[in-house]
Every structure is written in C-alpha cells, then in structure tokens.
Amino acid sequence: MSLVNKIYSNYSKLAPNINENSEQNFEYFDRELNQFKNLKEKKIIEIGYGNGFFLDWAKKKQLDITGYEINETFHQKAKLNHKVVLGEGVNISSEVKEKFDLIVLFDVIEHISKENLLNFFENLYKLLNDDGQILLRFPNGSSAAGLEYFNSDLTHYTFLNRRSLKMVAELNKFELIYFGNMKRVNKFKTFRGKLFGRFVYLLRNLIEYIYGNLYFGEKIPLDPNVVGILKKI
C-alpha cells in the first residue's frame, strides 16, 4: 500500500488541523455564507464534509443540504443526522442524482491532483443548476503562510492562488466572481484579547497592501487560507 493510500485509509484519525470548537466554526460559517442571498431557497451540497461541522451549521440554519464524502468513517458518523452520500470521488455527478444551486468545498480542492482537476470541475459543472455557484476554501498559494497548511498534510497535491483558480475556472465555463482571505473570526473572548486580535488583523492588512503594491500593483491576500467563489456561465 502506498503512503498516500495508507494515510487516506486512516484519514479520520490523521487529518491535521481539525477544529473542534463548534462556536467558532459556526461564527465562521455565519460570516462566510453571508455572501449568499436567500440561502434557505437554495439546494446545497457540501463535497468532502469531513467531521460534519458545516452540515451541523446548515441543519441549525434549516438549509436544504446534502453531504458527499469518500471517507467511510466520516460517512458513518454523519448519516446518523444528515442526508449524505458515500462515493468514490471520481464521477460525483453520476453518484449524486440531483442538481444544486450551491456547492461548498472546504479544504478539498488541494487534495485533487492537477491531472484530475479538469475532470473534477466537469463533475461540479454537471451538478449545478443554471447560474449555480461554488464556494471553495483552500491553502493560499500566494502566501508563505499558506505553506504551513499545505505541507502539513501529505495528501495535498495542488497549491492554488487567484490566477491559477481563474485559469481552471475558465477552462470549465465558470467565472471567478470573488477571491479573498477566508473570513476572519476573532479567537479571543476577553476585551484585551479582542483588541489584540484587531491589531493583528490591521497589521496583516497593512502588510498585504504594501507587499501587493510593491510587487503586483494591487493588494494581495496573504492569510493562510483563501476563498474563491465561482459562477456557472
């Protein structure tokens, strides 16, 4: 058995950076999904739901959500409380017999090799209704900070940034309509901690502005993880 296959067979135990803080996760989802209007009217699928934090949040919000996962351990846990599909991850559009308005992928796209990206996005295209959208979060390929997340998991293959995501999107008839840092959640609860957190975020913004304009003539997102939104055209 190869190293990657061995890791995947034990991924529910080995997966790094799993955040068990439900309150913090829910606050993050509140902020990130606030970009979409009329969520309760949309059919949503999360691909690669892992421990099911987003499924739990969506259920609490009474959203029409389906989950898709290739890891049986995650699937067995999630199916107790959610509508989920266990698949192989190659031909998702043939395994899921519905169409959706929004596809959500948190920390998934980096697991797809460049050789398989086109096939993966072709499947996403087939899953979407007209004008459907995709929300993707992944390690920031334009940032040294993104290397920490990317290199912390041996099953990561593809390190994307805005330009490479736009390239893949256009090859598959998608339009990149948004790209930026993942929504920031202040991890500190005390007043002093919140002030410190705000100072850190202000400092990050300043560094992004200076670095981006020095080298590229525009502000460049530099947080460890970024979010892109694609629209089917």
Side-chain angles (χ1 to χ4, degrees), residues 197-208:
R198 288 180 181 179
F199 172 75
V200 169
Y201 289 150
L202 284 172
L203 184 58
R204 285 190 190 180
N205 289 338
L206 180 61
I207 292 172
E208 289 179 345

Side-chain angles (χ1 to χ4, degrees), residues 6-7 47-48 59 64 66 98-100 117 119 143 168 206 215:
K6 193 168 185 178
I7 291 174
I47 295 177
K59 183 176 181 179
D64 184 355
T66 299
E98 300 178 71
K99 293 264 191 175
F100 300 89
L117 272 179
N119 176 68
S143 171
V168 174
L206 180 61
Y215 288 96

Side-chain angles (χ1 to χ4, degrees), residues 109 112-114 116-122 124 136 158 160-176 230:
I109 198 68
I112 311 299
S113 68
K114 288 185 174 68
N116 293 321
L117 272 179
L118 286 181
N119 176 68
F120 185 75
F121 274 91
E122 285 174 4
L124 299 185
L136 308 102
T158 305
L160 296 173
N161 64 6
R162 180 180 62 83
R163 295 184 183 185
S164 55
L165 178 62
K166 186 173 185 290
M167 183 183 298
V168 174
E170 290 178 349
L171 286 171
N172 288 275
K173 300 179 182 179
F174 288 106
E175 178 185 1
L176 179 62
L230 309 180

Side-chain angles (χ1 to χ4, degrees), residues 57-194:
W57 174 86
K59 183 176 181 179
K60 183 179 179 181
K61 297 291 182 179
Q62 299 181 319
L63 302 181
D64 184 355
I65 179 80
T66 299
Y68 177 92
E69 179 59 63
I70 64 172
N71 184 289
E72 188 167 357
T73 302
F74 289 143
H75 174 73
Q76 292 300 326
K77 176 184 174 182
K79 74 176 186 179
L80 299 174
N81 298 301
H82 303 288
K83 177 184 176 182
V84 290
V85 176
L86 179 67
E88 296 182 357
V90 179
N91 294 304
I92 303 173
S93 60
S94 64
E95 295 173 319
V96 181
K97 305 301 182 182
E98 300 178 71
K99 293 264 191 175
F100 300 89
D101 304 302
L102 176 63
I103 300 174
V104 176
L105 302 105
F106 290 113
D107 313 321
V108 171
I109 198 68
E110 61 270 24
H111 293 270
I112 311 299
S113 68
K114 288 185 174 68
E115 291 77 12
N116 293 321
L117 272 179
L118 286 181
N119 176 68
F120 185 75
F121 274 91
E122 285 174 4
N123 273 268
L124 299 185
Y125 188 91
K126 293 175 183 177
L127 284 173
L128 282 174
N129 290 318
D130 292 343
D131 297 322
Q133 296 179 316
I134 305 174
L135 169 70
L136 308 102
R137 183 182 72 192
F138 51 90
N140 187 355
S142 291
S143 171
L147 289 169
E148 170 64 25
Y149 287 111
F150 185 79
N151 290 321
S152 65
D153 189 333
L154 292 173
T155 64
H156 287 175
Y157 289 101
T158 305
F159 204 25
L160 296 173
N161 64 6
R162 180 180 62 83
R163 295 184 183 185
S164 55
L165 178 62
K166 186 173 185 290
M167 183 183 298
V168 174
E170 290 178 349
L171 286 171
N172 288 275
K173 300 179 182 179
F174 288 106
E175 178 185 1
L176 179 62
I177 61 174
Y178 172 82
F179 186 88
N181 292 319
M182 64 176 278
K183 292 295 184 287
R184 295 164 172 171
V185 176
N186 196 324
K187 300 177 182 180
F188 301 99
K189 298 304 177 184
T190 66
F191 179 71
R192 183 177 180 181
K194 288 179 179 179

Side-chain angles (χ1 to χ4, degrees), residues 30-53:
D30 283 341
R31 295 188 181 192
E32 201 70 84
L33 275 294
N34 191 47
Q35 302 180 77
F36 298 93
K37 297 180 179 178
N38 304 316
L39 268 181
K40 287 192 175 182
E41 298 175 11
K42 297 182 185 295
K43 284 179 62 67
I44 306 169
I45 184 169
E46 182 186 14
I47 295 177
Y49 54 77
N51 277 295
F53 297 131

